[in-house]
Every structure is written in structure tokens, then in C-alpha cells.
Amino acid sequence: MNKFVDYFKIGPVFTYFIRVFRKPDPNAPTSQNLRMMHGINRISIVMFLFCLIVMIVRACTR
């Protein structure tokens, strides 16, 4: 049962959402590919949240 609960933990996902919008650690190794990946992830997170808000507003106004 413990493995089942661990499978559905979403804590690391939320920490990534917060971490992706922070300034990168100056001591961490960076590359162009990693910077592009984080940029695309920022765009997709913002689009997801915007669409989620639009869906909630549409559901509430019906």
C-alpha cells in the first residue's frame, strides 16, 4: 500500500513549478539545451494555468 501512495505523490511536481521560475543557481552547470528546456516549460506552465482559469470561469458563468 505504501508504494501505491508514493506513486501518486505530486509534491515534487509542485516544487518543480516553483523552481522553474526562480533564477538559476550560479554554481549549477548550465547549457543552452537546459536553458531552452526550462524556457519551454515556463511557457507551457503559464499556458496551462491560463487555460485552467478560462475553463473555471466558463464553468462558473454557465
Side-chain angles (χ1 to χ4, degrees), residues 10-50:
I10 56 173
V13 174
F14 289 119
T15 57
Y16 178 77
F17 285 163
I18 294 169
R19 188 174 28 137
V20 78
F21 287 103
R22 285 192 212 159
K23 298 271 286 169
D25 183 18
N27 298 327
T30 59
S31 67
Q32 188 66 25
N33 293 335
L34 187 63
R35 290 177 58 204
M36 287 294 180
M37 180 193 72
H38 285 299
I40 291 170
N41 285 347
R42 286 183 192 115
I43 292 169
S44 63
I45 290 169
V46 169
M47 287 178 58
F48 172 76
L49 292 175
F50 176 74

